[in-house]
Amino acid sequence: MSDGVRVFVGIGSNVDREHHLGVALDALSDWFGALDLSPVYESDAVGGVGAPYLNMVAAFQADWTVGELSDRLKALEDAHGRRRGEEGAGERTLDVDILTYGEQVGIVDGVELPRAEILKNAFVLKPLADLAPDRLHPTCGQTYLELWRAYNACQQLRPVSFAWRERQLSEVVR
């Protein structure tokens, strides 16, 4: 799909992690065609509660509205065991969040754009900086690479080997 708006989404899971990242990528590919994908990182659950997460960022061209995309992503999460409001232990089978939708800013169809977690969480910012280092954040005007280089929170990321559809997204050499 060549028309539409450039969308970046964050994908994470800490339950059957590789499977659920693959499920999300399969759905996005089926819906939007070609995907640009970041490497995959492991991170501890925010607040230290729950199993470690695998996180990544995907980018694609979409011609759906923000609301349509948000609804489809929530349905995808729900279809793969996401239990909203029952995740007190920090467990999520699948979490897919719209990070940016073109250059839109503000609350659009109930979705915050750009998503605040871009500037707060290493597991969002680092994969975004890997995937789109020269792209400008819609509100602060810095590139994602500049933002990553200035990032000073103490969240630790661990690169992990991950392949999807015989495509090696990240590989850790030991």
Side-chain angles (χ1 to χ4, degrees):
M1 174 183 296
S2 60
D3 296 328
V5 174
R6 188 72 168 164
V7 177
F8 287 84
V9 297
I11 306 168
S13 174
N14 74 342
V15 176
D16 197 4
R17 304 175 313 170
E18 293 84 0
H19 168 75
H20 286 109
L21 260 58
V23 161
L25 295 175
D26 288 342
L28 293 171
S29 177
D30 289 348
W31 296 337
F32 304 108
L35 304 176
D36 293 321
L37 303 171
S38 76
V40 177
Y41 293 93
E42 182 179 67
S43 65
D44 294 332
V46 173
V49 178
Y53 278 78
L54 288 186
N55 293 97
M56 66 180 303
V57 170
F60 49 88
Q61 297 296 120
D63 59 2
W64 297 354
T65 67
V66 173
E68 290 168 334
L69 178 58
S70 178
D71 289 347
R72 289 291 288 271
L73 295 177
K74 286 178 184 172
L76 175 66
E77 292 171 341
D78 294 346
H80 292 279
R82 172 93 182 250
R83 292 189 202 133
R84 297 179 196 284
E86 297 179 21
E87 298 160 341
E91 294 199 355
R92 291 217 173 124
T93 55
L94 185 57
D95 189 19
V96 186
D97 296 316
I98 301 169
L99 302 175
T100 65
Y101 187 93
E103 302 305 314
Q104 291 198 38
V105 174
I107 304 298
V108 179
D109 297 337
V111 177
E112 173 193 28
L113 296 171
R115 192 167 180 89
E117 281 80 1
I118 293 171
L119 301 177
K120 294 179 184 174
N121 293 316
F123 58 82
V124 177
L125 183 56
K126 175 60 171 146
L128 195 51
D130 290 338
L131 183 58
D134 298 324
R135 191 170 186 96
L136 295 176
H137 184 280
T139 58
C140 64
Q142 291 179 281
T143 68
Y144 293 119
L145 182 57
E146 290 170 333
L147 291 167
W148 176 247
R149 287 181 176 158
Y151 186 80
N152 63 8
C154 61
Q155 295 175 355
Q156 298 296 311
L157 296 180
R158 299 170 291 279
V160 297
S161 295
F162 187 86
W164 171 71
R165 292 187 178 176
E166 299 181 21
R167 178 175 162 193
Q168 194 70 38
L169 302 181
S170 49
E171 188 167 8
V172 177
V173 179
R174 300 197 192 272

